[in-house]
Each structure stands twice: as C-alpha cells, then as structure tokens.
Amino acid sequence: MTEELVFYTNPMSRGRIARWMLEEIGQPYRTELLTFGDGMKAPEYLRLNPMGKVPAIRHGDTVVTECAAICAYLAETFPEKGLAPEPEERAAYYRWMFFAAGPLESAVTMKALGFEIPAERLRMAGCGSFGDVMNTLEKAVSGSTYLAGERFTAADVYVGSHIGWGLAFGSIEKRQAFIDYFGRISERPAGKRAKALDDEAGERMQAA
C-alpha cells in the first residue's frame, strides 16, 4: 500500500504505544507532534479526532484513533509482519486486547485518581475491583510466553505497553509475573527504537 501514513502524537502520552506498533510494522510514516491543550484542540486536529486526544493515525484517507484500534488496524493492514492473530490465536488476542482497553485502563485510572469503588457497587463497574484486575492480568501473562500463545503479536505491544508503563510509574503492582513478561518483550528492537524516538521528541519539545 502506498498511502501516506501520518502519526499524531505527544511523547508524554499513550502515543508511545502506537509508536512501538509503527516501528514493529516497519513502514515509513510521518510524525506530527502536538502539544497538550492548543495543539490537540486545534480545529484541524479535531476534524481528525473530535476527542482532541492523541494518538491518531491517518493512512491515506483513513483515520484511526484509540491505541488498541491503531494496533489492531496496523497488524491487519500489514499482515506480512506477522503481528495479527492466526485463527487459533484470535480468542486470546482479542480477549486480552479488549481487557486492557477496558477493565485494566479503567481500574488503573481510577486508582491513580484516588477513587475506590464501594464494595457494594463493584458489580456496577465493568472493571470490578483493582485486585481482581491485577489477578486476571497476572493469569493472562503467565499462561504462555506471549498473550496469544508462543508468538509475539500486536496484543503484546498494547497490553505490554500498559504493563511497562505501570511498572515504571507504580500504577501496576510489581508482581514477578509482570516483571518477567515485560522483560520478555522489552528487548525487541522495534520497542527500543520507538522509545529512543519518543525520548528525543520529548527533549525537542521541552527545548522549544
């Protein structure tokens, strides 16, 4: 495919997840750095993402927002990279991708904001308790080498990014299973390239 691939991000955002995925697929892309506030709320960007948040990608005329969707879209659009699930991997792949986008993201955010769901209302929240989410995540990363089996996929980029961020900043419990899993995926060359690119971009934005 020859359509231009454009990446809208800020290096201090969830855009780091999408950057890793872009580096995994190895296709040329152009990066547009946006500032929080004015940059993300500018009319031209709101036409792409009415939420006024990053990341987003534009692939030709196609716009994709939300990190999990970006990872899945890129994996399926460039199947030759082997990051989309095989038929026998689909159940685990989609299960854990959506678990991270839903219960994990919600539970971690609420905990970071100091909000604790009252015990009698846990059934009202899709994420349940923070402990239930951590226990479920631990099982997800302990059952096989990677989330969908014995092969690295886009689900590992997405869920693994949440785990790596959480371990670094204390929003996810430092359980040995999480440390071991992130250790297995964090040495990937694409992940290292993505980190270096975002670190450099962050320095440029701070110096500007």
Side-chain angles (χ1 to χ4, degrees), residues 118-168:
E120 67 274 14
R121 295 191 174 184
L122 283 172
R123 65 182 182 180
M124 294 176 62
C127 62
S129 72
F130 184 79
D132 287 344
V133 170
M134 291 296 104
N135 291 338
T136 303
L137 183 62
E138 183 173 12
K139 290 180 181 179
V141 302
S142 302
S144 54
T145 304
Y146 300 108
L147 286 167
E150 298 306 309
R151 195 174 64 87
F152 183 90
T153 67
D156 295 291
V157 174
Y158 183 68
V159 182
S161 293
H162 280 280
I163 292 175
W165 181 272
L167 290 173

Side-chain angles (χ1 to χ4, degrees), residues 59-99:
H59 187 208
D61 294 328
T62 299
V63 175
V64 187
T65 66
E66 314 312 319
C67 284
I70 291 170
C71 289
Y73 172 83
L74 291 173
E76 294 172 16
T77 302
F78 301 97
E80 69 277 8
K81 302 302 179 180
L83 296 167
E86 299 293 339
E88 67 276 10
E89 298 169 330
R90 286 176 187 160
Y93 175 94
Y94 288 114
R95 178 186 182 184
W96 300 122
M97 182 88 82
F98 284 97
F99 172 79

